[in-house]
Amino acid sequence: MTPLERLWNGWRATYVQSLGTSEVPAGEGSIFTRILASGLSDEDANIVHRGETCFVILNAFPYGTGHVLVLPYREVANLEDLDAAETAELWPTVTDAVRAIKAAYEPEGVNVGINLGRPAGGSISEHLHVHAVPRWTGDGNFMTAVANTRTLPEPLVDTAAKLRAAWPTG
């Protein structure tokens, strides 16, 4: 009999145990609106960058290490709901997020996308957000197919610190 193979990601226990115990208070608005209103520091909230009308936050349930969300502070559901200032800042911020991902992780590619509305796959469809996800050839994590699980090689706090350090200036 072959011994059972084990994949140890011991640090993930802290992450998994914290999932039902968010410091973000319940209340009105999307999870993003509640995070912004929570008073948490950017480090505690995993906010990577703040601009005038938009900000960048790590995805708490990332597809891979370095997965960020770019979104306006104001809770709007659709691109056409953005005002001129938000529209002008959103796409350059997405570009800067891609630059930071490339500098911090040297991926072979990056997926950038928006799911508008719940039927399109938007899990938090009331607050528009753009995903930027680093990708590597063959990175289809086997755990997703086997155990509906993703393995990530570093804690979110470390990912946020790397992306902040790699964020383009000026």
Side-chain angles (χ1 to χ4, degrees), residues 27-83:
E28 296 297 315
S30 73
I31 184 65
F32 305 123
T33 298
R34 294 192 318 267
I35 288 169
L36 290 169
S38 71
L40 291 172
S41 70
D42 286 358
E43 288 74 19
D44 289 337
N46 291 316
I47 294 174
V48 173
H49 170 78
R50 286 181 180 263
E52 289 187 33
T53 66
C54 297
F55 70 106
V56 181
I57 190 168
L58 289 182
N59 188 329
F61 304 100
Y63 297 137
T65 300
H67 182 173
V68 298
L69 306 173
V70 180
L71 60 160
Y73 294 111
R74 191 169 64 96
E75 187 172 319
V76 298
N78 298 296
L79 282 170
E80 62 271 22
D81 296 334
L82 295 171
D83 66 27

Side-chain angles (χ1 to χ4, degrees), residues 11 46 48 58 62 64-68 96-110 132-137 139 152-167:
W11 66 267
N46 291 316
V48 173
L58 289 182
T65 300
H67 182 173
V68 298
D96 283 347
V98 170
R99 285 186 178 116
I101 288 168
K102 286 180 175 181
Y105 290 99
E106 300 180 1
E108 295 174 83
V110 179
V133 184
R135 300 302 305 266
W136 293 266
T137 302
D139 70 0
L152 302 170
E154 70 184 8
L156 293 177
V157 66
D158 292 351
T159 301
K162 284 182 183 177
L163 290 171
R164 278 188 209 102
W167 198 263

Side-chain angles (χ1 to χ4, degrees), residues 83-117:
D83 66 27
E86 292 162 339
T87 298
E89 187 176 0
L90 182 71
W91 293 111
T93 305
V94 170
T95 301
D96 283 347
V98 170
R99 285 186 178 116
I101 288 168
K102 286 180 175 181
Y105 290 99
E106 300 180 1
E108 295 174 83
V110 179
N111 286 130
V112 174
I114 306 174
N115 300 317
L116 296 173

